[in-house]
Amino acid sequence: MNSQEKMKTLMQQKKGRRLLLFPLPLQGHITPMLQLANILHSKGFSITIIHTHFNSPNQFNYPQFTFEPISDGLSENDASTIDVLALISLLNSNCVEPFRDCLARLLSEVAEEPFACLITDAVWYFTQAVVDSLKLPRIVIHTTSVCSFLAFAALPLLREKGYLPKQDSEFEAPVLELPPLKVKDIPIIKTRNPEDVYKVTGRIIRETKSASGLIWNSFRELEQPELAKLAQEFPIPSFSFGPFHKHFPASSSSLQEQDQSSISWLNSQAPKAVIYVSFGSVATMDETGFSEVAWGLANSMQPFLWVVRPGLVSGSEWLEPLPNGFLETVGGRGHIVKWSPQQKVLAHPAIGGFWTHSGWNPTLESICEGVPMICSPDFGDQMVNSRYVNDVWKVGLKLEKGLKRGEIERTIRRVMVEKEGEEIRQRMMGLKEEVNLCLKKDSEFEAPVLELPPLKVKDIPIIKTRNPEDVYKVTGRIIRETKSASGLIWNSFRELEQPELAKLAQEFPIPSFSFGPFHKHFPASSSSLQEQDQSSISWLNSQAPKAVIYVSFGSVATMDETGFSEVAWGLANSMQPFLWVVRPGLVSGSEWLEPLPNGFLETVGGRGHIVKWSPQQKVLAHPAIGGFWTHSGWNPTLESICEGVPMICSPDFGDQMVNSRYVNDVWKVGLKLEKGLKRGEIERTIRRVMVEKEGEEIRQRMMGLKEEVNLCLKKGGSSYQSLEGLTDYILSL
C-alpha cells in the first residue's frame, strides 16, 4: 500500500469525513493551516477548527468551517512574540486542559458523524498524549521546509559534535553532517533560557515520530533528497502536496490589514523594475539595522515597495526611525506600507526581486511567482531556508554579512540589473514551471492530444526558458519563415514517417526531400565537439554479445544530484553490464563524478564503465550493445535505429518528448520511462529490454526497421530517390 492509499484508509476507515484542525496562533502557522483546511474541504471533508483566543482567525472569511475557541490563559504581557520559544512553551502548558475538554465534548456528540482524525501543527506537542487517551489519530503539519526540519531534528547531534553553542570564529565553517549548512545556519532560536531550545524542539521531534502521518507544505521536485532522508528517519506516512496556496484560492488569513495601495503604486512601475521588501510578521531589528536597510534601498537607485510593520523596529510605532533625508532622497521611487497583499504583490509584473526574511511561506510564494530573492534571515528555520535559496536552488542571494548598506546596495543591483540576476531569474523560472507541473493532475498529463495522436499532454514539446512567451514567438517565426522557403530537407526516411510526411505535404506545399539517415550515406570524420574516449570500444570487446546497456543523455541535457543518484542505482540494481557517458556538467554544479552515491563504484565493480564522451556510432554498432538508454534526441534515435538497438527513452525537453512517444507507441522499438528517473522503474525497464521476452519482441521490430534503412539507401530506395530529386531541384533553381 503506497502513502496515498494509507492516507485514504486512515481518513475513511470507520471514521467518516469530518476533520479537526488545530493551528498554532502565529501568522506563519495559521496561514498554511487554513490553506490546508481549504484544500481538504474541496476534497469533501467537513472542517472544524479549534483555535485560541490569541490571534484568533477571522471566522467571517471562512463561513464553510466550524470554529471552536478555547482559552489560552495568556495575560496581556504573555501575548507577545518577542520571545517566541517562551510563548510556545506557555501555550503548550496552558492549553492542555481547555483543548482536552473541547476535544472530548466534540467527540461525544454522537448525533454527528464521527471525526476521522486531528490535524495539528507539530508545535502543539502536548496534543499527542491527549488524542492517545481519546483514541483519535493525530496527523501533524510542519509549516517549515523539510530541510530546516531535518536541521532541527539534528540539534542534539550537532550539540554533541561541538557545533553548539555557536562560536563566532566558527560561523563560516561547514556543518559536515548537514551539507550545505554552515555553523551560522544552524537553526537556533533566541530565547531567555537557551536550554529551552533543546527541550521544545526535542519534544516536537519525539511527538512527531508518534504521529499517524506528516503533512508538508513543500513539493518533491524542490526537496527530493530531503524527503528521501526524512523517510529514513521518520518511517511514517508523509505527504508533500504544496505549495498549499496554489491549490485553492482562499480568503486572506492575514492577521493584519492589507494596504491595497501597494497594487495601485505597482501599476505605475516598469516591468521587473521593483524590489519588494518585507521581513514578515515576527522579525524585529534595531534602529541601526533599520537605517542600513533604508540607505541600502536608497543607494541602489532601484524602485522599491517596503513593508514596515508597526513594531518592526523595537520600541517604535512605525516610521519614526527613518533616517533624516531618506524620504526626500527617494521621492516617488519608493512606496512604504504597514502590510501588503503579498501574493498579489509577488504576482505583479512590476516585481523583479523580493528581499525577504526567508520564512517558509514567503519563500514558497516567491518560487511560485518566479521572483528572485535576497535573503536576510532572522532566526530558526529562516537560516536554513536562505542557505538553500543561495547554495542549493540558486534562486537568490543571501546577505552573508548582515545589514550593511554597501552590501545591500550591491546585492540589490546584482539581482535586479546585472547578468548574475538574469541567470538567477532563469533558474527561478524553471522552478516556477516545476510548481505548475507538480500541481497538475496525472490525468491531465496523460490525456491524449486529440489533434496530434499519439501524443499525450506531457509530450507537447515545450522548451523551458525564462520567458515562456518566447517559445511561441520563436517557434511561430520559424514556422512562418519555413513556409517561405524554396524547399525542405529532412534527416528522416519515408518508411519511418510516411503518415507524417503526407501531412507535411498538405500543410507545407513546397518541395520536400527526406533522404536520411544522413550518417549512413557516407563515412565521415567525427564532428563531435568533445574528445571521444576510445576505451569504450576496448571495454566493450571484453563483454558478451547483446549484454551491455549503453547510456548517454547527449550534449545539452542536465540533471540534479537526486536524478543522477537514481540513474546510478537503477543501473547498479539492474545487474546488467553498462557503458555510461557522464558528460562533465551533466549534473548541475559538478565537475564530473563527484555526485556518484557512496558505495556505487564498489557495488558495480567491473560490470560498469564510465567515460566523459564516447564514439557513439561505433559503440552502437558494437556486437556487445543490447540496448541504448537515450535522451531521445533525433540524431541518437536514428543512430540506434540504424544499428538495430532497442531504446530506453528519458526525454528532457523539446522534440525529445515527441521522439520518445513515437519510439514507445508507434514504432514500438523501445520503452519510455513514463514516471521519470526512479531507480525502481529504471531497473525494471532495463531488465524488460535486456533480458525479458518483451525485449526480444522489441529487438525483432527494431531489426525490421534496420532492414528498412538498408533498403531505402540502396539504388531505387526512397532515400536514394529523394536525394536524386534534391540534386535535380537545386540545378533547376
Side-chain angles (χ1 to χ4, degrees):
M1 184 183 291
N2 63 32
S3 60
Q4 290 183 343
E5 290 168 339
K6 288 178 183 176
M7 171 66 98
K8 188 174 181 180
T9 300
L10 181 66
M11 288 200 166
Q12 292 181 342
Q13 192 176 48
K14 300 180 182 178
K15 288 293 183 180
R17 298 183 70 83
R18 296 178 71 202
L19 298 175
L20 285 162
L21 274 66
F22 187 26
L24 190 77
L26 296 175
Q27 182 71 77
H29 294 252
I30 291 174
T31 295
M33 181 66 92
L34 290 177
Q35 289 165 349
L36 174 63
N38 268 300
I39 294 167
L40 294 173
H41 185 264
S42 74
K43 294 293 185 183
F45 289 98
S46 173
I47 305 295
T48 298
I49 294 178
I50 301 173
H51 63 91
T52 60
H53 290 292
F54 173 59
N55 280 346
S56 174
N58 187 342
Q59 300 181 25
F60 296 105
N61 287 339
Y62 302 93
Q64 69 273 39
F65 303 152
T66 301
F67 287 84
E68 294 282 348
I70 63 170
S71 172
D72 48 53
L74 296 180
S75 67
E76 189 173 340
N77 289 335
D78 293 333
S80 166
T81 57
I82 293 175
D83 188 332
V84 173
L85 203 71
L87 176 63
I88 287 171
S89 296
L90 191 57
L91 284 168
N92 270 279
S93 175
N94 289 358
C95 290
V96 175
E97 292 307 320
F99 176 80
R100 185 194 302 276
D101 293 344
C102 177
L103 189 59
R105 174 175 56 80
L106 291 170
L107 294 177
S108 68
E109 293 174 351
V110 293
E112 296 283 350
E113 186 182 18
F115 287 99
C117 68
L118 170 74
I119 299 178
T120 175
D121 194 299
V123 177
W124 285 123
Y125 50 77
F126 80 85
T127 58
Q128 186 64 51
V130 174
V131 297
D132 284 348
S133 68
L134 296 172
K135 303 292 190 291
L136 183 70
R138 171 180 176 259
I139 296 174
V140 298
I141 171 178
H142 283 273
T143 59
T144 65
S145 57
V146 180
C147 55
S148 65
F149 173 75
L150 291 172
F152 275 115
L155 286 182
L157 172 66
L158 299 181
R159 191 184 195 187
E160 180 185 320
K161 294 281 187 177
Y163 292 105
L164 299 172
K166 299 180 187 179
Q167 304 297 319
D168 289 353
S169 60
E170 298 294 322
F171 264 28
E172 297 298 328
V175 180
L176 300 178
E177 294 78 2
L178 283 176
L181 299 193
K182 299 180 181 182
V183 169
K184 65 182 179 182
D185 304 321
I186 297 173
I188 289 298
I189 302 170
K190 296 173 186 174
T191 182
R192 57 179 174 263
N193 183 2
E195 281 300 311
D196 286 348
V197 174
Y198 305 104
K199 291 178 182 176
V200 171
T201 56
R203 185 77 184 275
I204 291 170
I205 299 303
R206 287 196 302 276
E207 302 305 340
T208 292
K209 288 182 175 178
S210 300
S212 298
L214 304 175
I215 295 173
W216 299 93
N217 188 13
S218 187
F219 57 103
R220 188 185 64 206
E221 291 78 1
L222 186 66
E223 297 195 274
Q224 191 159 1
E226 292 71 31
L227 285 164
K229 185 176 181 182
L230 176 83
Q232 295 176 338
E233 299 185 13
F234 292 78
I236 54 179
S238 184
F239 310 91
S240 53
F241 50 91
F244 290 172
H245 73 279
K246 296 295 285 185
H247 276 264
F248 196 83
S251 302
S252 169
S253 59
S254 176
L255 299 172
Q256 304 188 52
E257 185 178 354
Q258 298 174 341
D259 187 335
Q260 300 298 326
S261 73
S262 306
I263 303 301
S264 54
W265 182 80
L266 286 171
N267 290 340
S268 67
Q269 304 301 311
K272 301 285 188 289
V274 177
I275 179 78
Y276 169 56
V277 187
S278 178
F279 302 125
S281 59
V282 175
T284 58
M285 60 181 66
D286 58 23
E287 287 196 24
T288 302
F290 189 70
S291 180
E292 293 297 297
V293 171
W295 287 122
L297 286 169
N299 298 342
S300 75
M301 302 307 294
Q302 294 298 121
F304 61 86
L305 170 61
W306 186 9
V307 174
V308 179
R309 188 189 79 249
L312 172 65
V313 180
S314 306
S316 72
E317 290 297 317
W318 191 33
L319 297 181
E320 315 91 82
L322 279 176
N324 292 333
F326 171 76
L327 292 175
E328 295 78 5
T329 299
V330 299
R333 184 161 52 81
H335 187 65
I336 303 176
V337 296
K338 291 181 178 178
W339 200 246
S340 77
Q342 184 156 287
Q343 290 178 31
K344 289 183 181 178
V345 166
L346 288 169
H348 198 284
I351 296 296
F354 179 19
W355 183 3
T356 171
H357 65 302
S358 297
W360 189 233
N361 291 328
T363 298
L364 279 180
E365 290 165 356
S366 202
I367 288 171
C368 287
E369 301 304 335
V371 178
M373 284 174 272
I374 295 171
C375 304
S376 52
D378 186 47
F379 66 91
D381 70 313
Q382 301 165 14
M383 321 302 286
V384 181
N385 298 338
S386 63
R387 177 59 58 207
Y388 271 69
V389 166
N390 191 99
D391 288 16
V392 180
W393 307 319
K394 299 182 179 178
V395 291
L397 298 175
K398 184 175 184 289
L399 288 171
E400 299 284 3
K401 298 177 182 177
L403 300 178
K404 307 292 182 186
R405 68 184 68 181
E407 186 185 11
I408 291 168
E409 174 190 349
R410 285 190 299 275
T411 306
I412 290 174
R413 295 191 63 78
R414 285 168 66 190
V415 167
M416 299 294 289
V417 299
E418 295 179 8
K419 182 182 178 183
E420 182 180 15
E422 188 55 37
E423 294 168 350
I424 289 171
R425 191 177 310 281
Q426 288 179 29
R427 288 191 289 271
M428 183 59 104
M429 292 305 293
L431 259 189
K432 178 182 178 180
E433 181 61 22
E434 294 281 7
V435 170
N436 294 335
L437 292 174
C438 80
L439 292 169
K440 282 183 180 286
K441 296 179 182 177
D442 285 345
S443 57
E444 291 180 51
F445 279 106
E446 298 297 331
V449 180
L450 300 178
E451 297 79 0
L452 285 175
L455 299 193
K456 300 180 180 182
V457 169
K458 64 182 178 181
D459 304 321
I460 297 174
I462 291 298
I463 302 170
K464 296 175 185 176
T465 180
R466 60 179 176 269
N467 184 0
E469 283 300 311
D470 286 348
V471 174
Y472 307 104
K473 290 177 184 177
V474 172
T475 55
R477 185 72 185 276
I478 292 171
I479 298 304
R480 288 195 302 274
E481 301 304 333
T482 293
K483 289 182 175 179
S484 300
S486 298
L488 301 175
I489 295 173
W490 300 97
N491 186 17
S492 187
F493 58 103
R494 190 182 64 202
E495 290 76 2
L496 185 66
E497 296 193 275
Q498 192 159 2
E500 292 71 29
L501 286 166
K503 186 176 181 182
L504 178 81
Q506 294 176 340
E507 298 185 14
F508 292 77
I510 54 178
S512 182
F513 308 92
S514 53
F515 52 91
F518 290 173
H519 73 281
K520 296 296 285 185
H521 277 267
F522 196 82
S525 301
S526 170
S527 58
S528 176
L529 298 174
Q530 303 190 51
E531 184 178 355
Q532 298 175 342
D533 188 335
Q534 299 299 324
S535 72
S536 306
I537 305 302
S538 55
W539 182 81
L540 286 172
N541 290 340
S542 66
Q543 304 300 312
K546 300 287 185 292
V548 177
I549 179 79
Y550 169 55
V551 186
S552 177
F553 303 124
S555 58
V556 176
T558 59
M559 61 181 65
D560 59 21
E561 287 196 23
T562 302
F564 188 71
S565 180
E566 293 297 297
V567 171
W569 287 122
L571 286 169
N573 297 342
S574 75
M575 302 306 292
Q576 293 298 122
F578 61 87
L579 169 61
W580 186 9
V581 175
V582 179
R583 188 189 77 250
L586 172 65
V587 180
S588 306
S590 72
E591 291 296 318
W592 191 32
L593 297 182
E594 314 91 81
L596 278 177
N598 291 335
F600 170 75
L601 293 176
E602 294 78 4
T603 299
V604 299
R607 184 161 51 81
H609 186 65
I610 303 176
V611 296
K612 293 181 177 179
W613 201 246
S614 77
Q616 184 156 289
Q617 290 178 29
K618 289 183 181 178
V619 166
L620 288 169
H622 197 284
I625 295 296
F628 179 20
W629 183 3
T630 170
H631 63 302
S632 297
W634 189 236
N635 290 330
T637 298
L638 280 180
E639 289 166 356
S640 201
I641 288 171
C642 288
E643 302 304 334
V645 178
M647 284 175 272
I648 295 171
C649 303
S650 52
D652 186 45
F653 65 92
D655 71 313
Q656 300 165 14
M657 321 302 286
V658 181
N659 299 339
S660 64
R661 178 60 58 209
Y662 271 69
V663 166
N664 190 99
D665 287 16
V666 180
W667 308 320
K668 299 183 179 179
V669 292
L671 299 175
K672 185 177 184 290
L673 289 170
E674 300 284 3
K675 297 178 182 178
L677 300 178
K678 307 293 181 189
R679 65 184 70 182
E681 188 185 11
I682 291 167
E683 174 190 349
R684 287 190 297 274
T685 306
I686 290 174
R687 295 191 62 80
R688 285 169 66 190
V689 167
M690 298 294 290
V691 299
E692 295 179 9
K693 183 181 178 182
E694 182 181 16
E696 188 53 41
E697 294 168 350
I698 290 172
R699 191 178 312 280
Q700 288 178 23
R701 288 191 291 270
M702 184 60 103
M703 291 305 292
L705 260 190
K706 177 181 179 180
E707 183 58 26
E708 295 279 9
V709 170
N710 295 335
L711 292 173
C712 80
L713 292 168
K714 289 184 176 181
K715 189 172 182 177
S718 63
S719 289
Y720 179 92
Q721 291 177 342
S722 187
L723 179 55
E724 292 293 306
L726 174 64
T727 303
D728 293 341
Y729 183 63
I730 291 173
L731 294 174
S732 71
L733 292 175

